[in-house]
Amino acid sequence: MGFRDIVVEGDSLTVITKLNNQEDDRSVICNILKEIKLKAAKFRNSSFRFVPHSANKVAHELAIWGRE
């Protein structure tokens, strides 16, 4: 699609913190985090941001609406 910049938002503070950390992770999700970081590295700019669960209400409602 030609995107060069990406912002990934999530409501899991633990995951977002681990994605923003430059050190190798040794948790049970380390392989998933590595894969996400490898894919993000293909973009010119990438960032991972925490958003509280309450901020996802509109996105959740849109997903439900789109599924119907």
Side-chain angles (χ1 to χ4, degrees):
M1 295 179 96
F3 295 118
R4 296 189 313 195
D5 304 311
I6 187 171
V7 176
V8 178
E9 295 180 337
D11 62 359
S12 173
L13 183 57
T14 302
V15 173
I16 297 299
T17 301
K18 288 177 180 289
L19 287 169
N20 284 321
N21 192 345
Q22 299 301 318
E23 298 174 13
D24 285 338
D25 186 76
R26 297 176 66 180
S27 68
V28 296
I29 63 169
C30 66
N31 289 330
I32 296 169
L33 297 171
K34 285 179 186 177
E35 186 175 342
I36 293 170
K37 288 181 179 183
L38 284 172
K39 291 184 183 293
K42 294 179 181 179
F43 292 91
R44 180 181 61 188
N45 293 309
S46 61
S47 63
F48 303 96
R49 297 183 187 163
F50 171 75
V51 291
H53 183 70
S54 60
N56 290 335
K57 185 175 181 178
V58 173
H60 180 69
E61 290 176 5
L62 284 171
I64 291 172
W65 178 75
R67 190 172 44 183
E68 294 174 355

Coordinates of all heavy atoms in Angstrom, one line a residue:
M1 N 0.8 -1.2 0.0 CA 0.0 0.0 0.0 C 0.9 1.3 0.0 O 0.3 2.3 -0.2 CB -0.9 0.0 1.2 CG -2.0 -1.1 1.2 SD -3.0 -1.1 2.6 CE -4.4 -0.2 1.9
G2 N 2.1 1.1 0.2 CA 3.0 2.3 0.2 C 3.2 3.0 1.5 O 3.8 4.1 1.5
F3 N 2.7 2.5 2.6 CA 2.9 3.2 3.8 C 4.4 3.2 4.2 O 5.1 2.2 4.1 CB 2.1 2.5 5.0 CG 0.6 2.6 4.8 CD1 -0.1 1.4 4.6 CD2 -0.1 3.8 4.7 CE1 -1.5 1.5 4.4 CE2 -1.4 3.8 4.5 CZ -2.1 2.7 4.4
R4 N 4.8 4.3 4.7 CA 6.2 4.4 5.2 C 6.3 4.6 6.7 O 7.4 4.4 7.2 CB 7.0 5.5 4.4 CG 7.0 5.2 2.9 CD 7.9 6.1 2.2 NE 7.7 7.5 2.5 CZ 8.1 8.5 1.8 NH1 8.8 8.3 0.7 NH2 7.8 9.7 2.2
D5 N 5.3 5.0 7.3 CA 5.3 5.3 8.7 C 4.1 4.5 9.3 O 3.0 4.4 8.7 CB 5.1 6.8 9.0 CG 6.1 7.6 8.3 OD1 7.3 7.3 8.5 OD2 5.8 8.6 7.7
I6 N 4.3 4.1 10.5 CA 3.2 3.3 11.2 C 3.2 3.6 12.7 O 4.3 3.8 13.3 CB 3.4 1.8 10.9 CG1 2.2 1.0 11.5 CG2 4.7 1.3 11.5 CD1 2.2 -0.5 11.1
V7 N 2.0 3.7 13.2 CA 1.8 3.8 14.7 C 0.9 2.7 15.1 O -0.2 2.5 14.6 CB 1.1 5.2 15.0 CG1 0.9 5.3 16.5 CG2 2.0 6.3 14.6
V8 N 1.4 1.9 16.0 CA 0.6 0.8 16.6 C 0.1 1.2 18.0 O 1.0 1.5 18.8 CB 1.4 -0.5 16.6 CG1 0.6 -1.6 17.2 CG2 1.9 -0.8 15.2
E9 N -1.2 1.1 18.2 CA -1.7 1.5 19.5 C -2.3 0.2 20.1 O -2.9 -0.6 19.4 CB -2.8 2.5 19.4 CG -2.2 3.9 18.9 CD -3.3 4.9 18.9 OE1 -4.5 4.6 18.7 OE2 -3.0 6.1 18.9
G10 N -2.1 0.1 21.4 CA -2.6 -1.1 22.1 C -3.0 -0.8 23.6 O -2.4 0.2 24.1
D11 N -3.8 -1.6 24.1 CA -4.2 -1.3 25.5 C -3.5 -2.3 26.5 O -3.9 -2.3 27.7 CB -5.8 -1.4 25.7 CG -6.3 -2.8 25.4 OD1 -5.5 -3.7 25.0 OD2 -7.5 -3.0 25.5
S12 N -2.5 -2.9 26.1 CA -1.7 -3.8 27.0 C -0.4 -3.0 27.3 O 0.5 -3.0 26.4 CB -1.4 -5.1 26.4 OG -0.5 -5.8 27.2
L13 N -0.3 -2.4 28.4 CA 0.9 -1.6 28.8 C 2.1 -2.5 28.8 O 3.2 -2.1 28.3 CB 0.7 -0.9 30.1 CG 1.8 0.0 30.6 CD1 2.1 1.1 29.6 CD2 1.5 0.6 31.9
T14 N 2.0 -3.7 29.2 CA 3.1 -4.6 29.3 C 3.7 -4.9 27.9 O 4.9 -4.8 27.6 CB 2.7 -6.0 29.9 OG1 2.2 -5.7 31.2 CG2 3.9 -6.9 30.0
V15 N 2.8 -5.2 26.9 CA 3.3 -5.4 25.5 C 3.8 -4.2 24.9 O 4.9 -4.3 24.3 CB 2.1 -6.0 24.7 CG1 2.5 -6.1 23.2 CG2 1.6 -7.3 25.2
I16 N 3.2 -3.1 25.1 CA 3.7 -1.8 24.5 C 5.1 -1.5 25.1 O 6.0 -1.1 24.3 CB 2.7 -0.7 24.7 CG1 1.4 -1.0 23.9 CG2 3.3 0.7 24.2 CD1 1.5 -1.1 22.4
T17 N 5.2 -1.7 26.4 CA 6.5 -1.4 27.0 C 7.6 -2.3 26.4 O 8.7 -1.9 26.1 CB 6.4 -1.6 28.5 OG1 5.4 -0.7 29.0 CG2 7.7 -1.3 29.2
K18 N 7.3 -3.6 26.3 CA 8.3 -4.5 25.8 C 8.6 -4.2 24.3 O 9.8 -4.4 23.9 CB 7.7 -6.0 25.9 CG 7.7 -6.5 27.3 CD 7.0 -7.9 27.3 CE 7.0 -8.4 28.7 NZ 8.3 -8.8 29.3
L19 N 7.6 -3.8 23.5 CA 7.9 -3.4 22.1 C 8.8 -2.2 22.0 O 9.6 -2.0 21.1 CB 6.6 -3.2 21.4 CG 5.8 -4.5 21.0 CD1 4.5 -4.1 20.5 CD2 6.6 -5.3 20.0
N20 N 8.7 -1.2 23.0 CA 9.5 0.0 23.0 C 10.9 -0.2 23.6 O 11.8 0.6 23.4 CB 8.8 1.1 23.7 CG 7.6 1.7 22.9 OD1 7.8 1.9 21.7 ND2 6.5 2.0 23.5
N21 N 11.1 -1.4 24.3 CA 12.3 -1.7 24.9 C 13.3 -2.2 23.8 O 13.0 -3.1 23.0 CB 12.1 -2.7 26.0 CG 13.3 -2.8 26.9 OD1 14.4 -2.4 26.6 ND2 13.1 -3.4 28.0
Q22 N 14.5 -1.7 23.8 CA 15.5 -2.1 22.8 C 16.2 -3.4 23.2 O 16.8 -4.1 22.4 CB 16.6 -1.0 22.6 CG 16.0 0.3 22.1 CD 15.3 0.1 20.8 OE1 15.8 -0.6 19.9 NE2 14.1 0.7 20.6
E23 N 16.1 -3.8 24.5 CA 16.8 -5.0 25.0 C 16.0 -6.2 24.6 O 14.8 -6.2 24.4 CB 17.0 -5.0 26.5 CG 17.8 -3.8 27.0 CD 17.8 -3.7 28.5 OE1 17.4 -4.6 29.1 OE2 18.3 -2.6 29.0
D24 N 16.7 -7.4 24.5 CA 16.1 -8.6 24.2 C 15.1 -9.0 25.3 O 15.5 -8.9 26.5 CB 17.1 -9.7 23.9 CG 17.8 -9.6 22.6 OD1 17.2 -9.0 21.7 OD2 18.9 -10.2 22.4
D25 N 14.0 -9.5 24.9 CA 13.0 -9.9 25.9 C 13.1 -11.4 26.1 O 13.4 -12.1 25.2 CB 11.6 -9.6 25.4 CG 10.5 -9.8 26.4 OD1 10.4 -9.0 27.3 OD2 9.8 -10.9 26.3
R26 N 12.9 -11.8 27.3 CA 13.0 -13.3 27.6 C 11.7 -13.8 28.2 O 11.7 -14.9 28.8 CB 14.1 -13.5 28.6 CG 15.5 -13.0 28.1 CD 16.6 -13.1 29.0 NE 16.8 -14.5 29.4 CZ 17.7 -15.0 30.2 NH1 18.5 -14.1 30.8 NH2 17.8 -16.2 30.5
S27 N 10.6 -13.2 27.9 CA 9.3 -13.7 28.4 C 8.8 -14.7 27.4 O 9.4 -15.0 26.4 CB 8.3 -12.5 28.5 OG 8.0 -12.0 27.2
V28 N 7.6 -15.3 27.7 CA 7.0 -16.3 26.9 C 6.5 -15.7 25.5 O 6.3 -16.5 24.6 CB 5.9 -17.0 27.6 CG1 6.3 -17.8 28.8 CG2 4.8 -16.0 28.0
I29 N 6.4 -14.4 25.4 CA 6.0 -13.8 24.2 C 7.1 -13.2 23.4 O 6.9 -12.5 22.4 CB 4.9 -12.8 24.4 CG1 5.4 -11.6 25.2 CG2 3.6 -13.4 25.0 CD1 4.4 -10.4 25.3
C30 N 8.4 -13.6 23.7 CA 9.5 -13.0 23.1 C 9.5 -13.2 21.6 O 9.9 -12.3 20.8 CB 10.8 -13.5 23.7 SG 11.2 -15.2 23.5
N31 N 9.1 -14.4 21.1 CA 9.1 -14.6 19.6 C 8.1 -13.8 18.9 O 8.4 -13.3 17.8 CB 8.9 -16.1 19.4 CG 10.1 -17.0 19.8 OD1 11.2 -16.6 19.7 ND2 9.8 -18.2 20.2
I32 N 7.0 -13.6 19.5 CA 6.0 -12.7 18.9 C 6.5 -11.2 18.9 O 6.3 -10.6 17.9 CB 4.7 -12.8 19.7 CG1 4.1 -14.2 19.6 CG2 3.6 -11.7 19.2 CD1 2.9 -14.5 20.6
L33 N 7.1 -10.8 20.0 CA 7.7 -9.4 20.0 C 8.7 -9.3 18.9 O 8.8 -8.2 18.3 CB 8.2 -9.1 21.4 CG 7.2 -9.2 22.5 CD1 8.0 -9.1 23.9 CD2 6.2 -8.0 22.4
K34 N 9.6 -10.3 18.8 CA 10.7 -10.2 17.8 C 10.1 -10.1 16.4 O 10.5 -9.3 15.5 CB 11.6 -11.4 17.8 CG 12.5 -11.4 19.0 CD 13.4 -12.7 19.0 CE 14.2 -12.8 20.2 NZ 15.0 -14.0 20.3
E35 N 9.0 -10.9 16.1 CA 8.4 -10.8 14.8 C 7.8 -9.4 14.5 O 7.9 -8.9 13.4 CB 7.3 -11.9 14.7 CG 6.7 -12.0 13.3 CD 5.8 -13.2 13.2 OE1 5.8 -14.1 14.0 OE2 5.0 -13.1 12.2
I36 N 7.1 -8.9 15.5 CA 6.5 -7.6 15.4 C 7.6 -6.5 15.1 O 7.4 -5.7 14.2 CB 5.7 -7.2 16.6 CG1 4.5 -8.1 16.8 CG2 5.3 -5.7 16.6 CD1 3.7 -8.0 18.1
K37 N 8.7 -6.6 15.9 CA 9.8 -5.6 15.7 C 10.4 -5.8 14.3 O 10.8 -4.8 13.7 CB 10.8 -5.8 16.8 CG 10.4 -5.3 18.1 CD 11.5 -5.5 19.2 CE 11.1 -5.0 20.5 NZ 12.1 -5.1 21.5
L38 N 10.6 -7.0 13.8 CA 11.1 -7.2 12.5 C 10.2 -6.6 11.4 O 10.7 -5.9 10.5 CB 11.3 -8.7 12.2 CG 12.5 -9.3 12.8 CD1 12.5 -10.9 12.6 CD2 13.8 -8.8 12.3
K39 N 8.9 -6.8 11.5 CA 8.0 -6.2 10.6 C 8.0 -4.7 10.7 O 7.9 -4.0 9.7 CB 6.6 -6.8 10.8 CG 6.5 -8.2 10.4 CD 5.1 -8.8 10.5 CE 5.0 -10.2 10.2 NZ 5.3 -10.6 8.8
A40 N 8.0 -4.1 11.9 CA 8.0 -2.7 12.1 C 9.3 -2.0 11.5 O 9.3 -0.9 11.1 CB 7.9 -2.4 13.6
A41 N 10.4 -2.8 11.5 CA 11.7 -2.2 11.0 C 11.6 -2.0 9.5 O 12.5 -1.2 9.0 CB 12.8 -3.2 11.3
K42 N 10.7 -2.5 8.8 CA 10.5 -2.3 7.4 C 10.0 -1.0 7.0 O 10.0 -0.5 5.9 CB 9.7 -3.4 6.7 CG 10.3 -4.8 6.8 CD 9.5 -5.9 6.2 CE 10.2 -7.2 6.4 NZ 9.3 -8.3 5.8
F43 N 9.4 -0.3 8.0 CA 8.9 1.1 7.9 C 9.9 2.1 8.1 O 10.9 1.9 8.9 CB 7.7 1.3 8.8 CG 6.5 0.4 8.4 CD1 6.3 -0.8 9.0 CD2 5.5 0.9 7.5 CE1 5.2 -1.6 8.6 CE2 4.5 0.1 7.2 CZ 4.3 -1.2 7.7
R44 N 9.8 3.3 7.6 CA 10.7 4.4 7.8 C 10.6 4.8 9.3 O 11.7 5.0 9.9 CB 10.4 5.6 6.9 CG 11.3 6.7 7.1 CD 10.9 7.9 6.2 NE 9.6 8.3 6.5 CZ 8.9 9.2 5.8 NH1 9.4 9.7 4.7 NH2 7.7 9.6 6.1
N45 N 9.4 4.9 9.8 CA 9.2 5.3 11.2 C 8.1 4.4 11.7 O 7.1 4.1 11.1 CB 8.7 6.7 11.3 CG 9.8 7.7 11.0 OD1 10.9 7.6 11.4 ND2 9.5 8.6 10.1
S46 N 8.4 3.9 12.9 CA 7.3 3.1 13.6 C 7.4 3.4 15.1 O 8.4 3.7 15.6 CB 7.6 1.6 13.4 OG 8.8 1.2 13.9
S47 N 6.2 3.4 15.7 CA 6.1 3.6 17.1 C 4.9 2.8 17.7 O 4.0 2.5 17.0 CB 5.9 5.1 17.4 OG 4.6 5.6 16.8
F48 N 5.1 2.5 18.9 CA 4.1 1.7 19.7 C 3.6 2.6 20.8 O 4.4 3.1 21.6 CB 4.8 0.4 20.2 CG 5.3 -0.4 19.1 CD1 6.7 -0.3 18.8 CD2 4.5 -1.2 18.3 CE1 7.2 -1.1 17.8 CE2 5.0 -2.0 17.3 CZ 6.4 -1.9 17.0
R49 N 2.3 2.8 20.9 CA 1.8 3.7 21.9 C 0.7 2.9 22.7 O -0.1 2.2 22.2 CB 1.1 4.9 21.3 CG 2.1 5.7 20.6 CD 1.4 7.0 20.0 NE 2.4 7.7 19.2 CZ 2.0 8.6 18.3 NH1 0.8 8.9 18.1 NH2 2.9 9.2 17.6
F50 N 0.7 3.2 24.0 CA -0.3 2.7 24.9 C -1.5 3.6 24.9 O -1.4 4.8 24.9 CB 0.2 2.6 26.4 CG -0.9 2.3 27.4 CD1 -1.4 1.0 27.5 CD2 -1.4 3.3 28.2 CE1 -2.4 0.7 28.4 CE2 -2.4 3.0 29.1 CZ -2.9 1.7 29.2
V51 N -2.7 3.0 24.8 CA -4.0 3.7 24.9 C -4.8 2.9 25.9 O -4.9 1.7 25.8 CB -4.7 3.9 23.6 CG1 -4.0 4.9 22.7 CG2 -5.0 2.6 22.9
P52 N -5.5 3.6 26.8 CA -6.3 2.9 27.8 C -7.5 2.2 27.1 O -7.9 2.6 26.0 CB -6.9 3.9 28.7 CG -6.4 5.2 28.2 CD -5.5 5.0 27.0
H53 N -8.0 1.1 27.7 CA -9.0 0.3 27.1 C -10.3 1.2 26.8 O -10.9 0.9 25.8 CB -9.4 -0.8 28.0 CG -10.5 -1.7 27.5 ND1 -10.3 -2.6 26.5 CD2 -11.8 -1.9 27.9 CE1 -11.4 -3.3 26.2 NE2 -12.3 -2.9 27.1
S54 N -10.5 2.1 27.6 CA -11.7 3.0 27.4 C -11.6 3.8 26.1 O -12.6 4.1 25.5 CB -11.9 3.9 28.6 OG -10.7 4.8 28.7
A55 N -10.4 4.0 25.6 CA -10.2 4.8 24.4 C -10.5 3.9 23.1 O -10.7 4.4 22.0 CB -8.8 5.3 24.3
N56 N -10.6 2.6 23.3 CA -10.9 1.7 22.2 C -12.3 1.4 22.0 O -12.7 0.6 21.1 CB -10.2 0.3 22.5 CG -8.7 0.4 22.4 OD1 -8.1 1.3 21.8 ND2 -8.0 -0.5 23.1
K57 N -13.2 2.1 22.7 CA -14.7 1.8 22.6 C -15.2 2.0 21.1 O -15.9 1.2 20.6 CB -15.5 2.6 23.6 CG -16.9 2.3 23.5 CD -17.7 3.1 24.6 CE -19.1 2.7 24.5 NZ -19.9 3.3 25.5
V58 N -14.8 3.1 20.5 CA -15.2 3.4 19.2 C -14.7 2.4 18.2 O -15.5 1.9 17.3 CB -14.8 4.9 18.8 CG1 -15.2 5.1 17.3 CG2 -15.5 5.9 19.7
A59 N -13.4 2.1 18.3 CA -12.9 1.1 17.4 C -13.6 -0.3 17.6 O -13.8 -1.0 16.6 CB -11.4 0.9 17.7
H60 N -13.9 -0.6 18.8 CA -14.6 -1.9 19.1 C -16.0 -1.9 18.4 O -16.4 -2.9 17.8 CB -14.7 -2.1 20.6 CG -15.3 -3.4 21.0 ND1 -14.8 -4.6 20.7 CD2 -16.5 -3.6 21.5 CE1 -15.6 -5.6 21.1 NE2 -16.7 -5.0 21.7
E61 N -16.7 -0.8 18.6 CA -18.0 -0.7 18.0 C -18.0 -0.7 16.5 O -18.8 -1.3 15.8 CB -18.7 0.6 18.5 CG -19.1 0.5 20.0 CD -19.7 1.8 20.5 OE1 -19.9 2.7 19.7 OE2 -19.9 1.8 21.7
L62 N -17.0 -0.1 15.9 CA -16.8 -0.1 14.4 C -16.5 -1.6 14.0 O -17.0 -2.0 12.9 CB -15.7 0.8 14.0 CG -16.0 2.3 14.0 CD1 -14.8 3.1 13.7 CD2 -17.1 2.6 12.9
A63 N -15.7 -2.3 14.7 CA -15.4 -3.7 14.3 C -16.7 -4.5 14.4 O -16.9 -5.4 13.5 CB -14.3 -4.2 15.3
I64 N -17.5 -4.4 15.4 CA -18.7 -5.1 15.5 C -19.7 -4.7 14.4 O -20.3 -5.6 13.7 CB -19.4 -4.8 16.9 CG1 -18.6 -5.5 18.0 CG2 -20.8 -5.4 16.9 CD1 -19.0 -5.1 19.4
W65 N -19.8 -3.4 14.1 CA -20.6 -3.0 13.0 C -20.1 -3.6 11.7 O -20.9 -4.0 10.8 CB -20.6 -1.5 13.0 CG -21.4 -0.9 11.8 CD1 -22.8 -0.8 11.7 CD2 -20.9 -0.3 10.6 NE1 -23.1 -0.2 10.6 CE2 -22.0 0.1 9.9 CE3 -19.6 -0.1 10.2 CZ2 -21.9 0.7 8.6 CZ3 -19.5 0.5 8.9 CH2 -20.6 0.9 8.2
G66 N -18.8 -3.6 11.4 CA -18.3 -4.1 10.2 C -18.5 -5.6 10.0 O -18.6 -6.1 8.9
R67 N -18.5 -6.3 11.1 CA -18.7 -7.8 11.1 C -20.1 -8.1 10.8 O -20.4 -9.2 10.2 CB -18.3 -8.3 12.5 CG -18.2 -9.8 12.5 CD -17.7 -10.3 13.8 NE -18.3 -9.6 15.0 CZ -18.0 -9.8 16.2 NH1 -17.1 -10.7 16.5 NH2 -18.6 -9.2 17.2
E68 N -21.1 -7.2 11.0 CA -22.5 -7.5 10.7 C -22.8 -7.4 9.3 O -22.7 -7.3 8.4 CB -23.4 -6.6 11.5 CG -23.3 -6.9 13.0 CD -24.1 -5.8 13.8 OE1 -24.6 -4.9 13.2 OE2 -24.1 -6.0 15.1

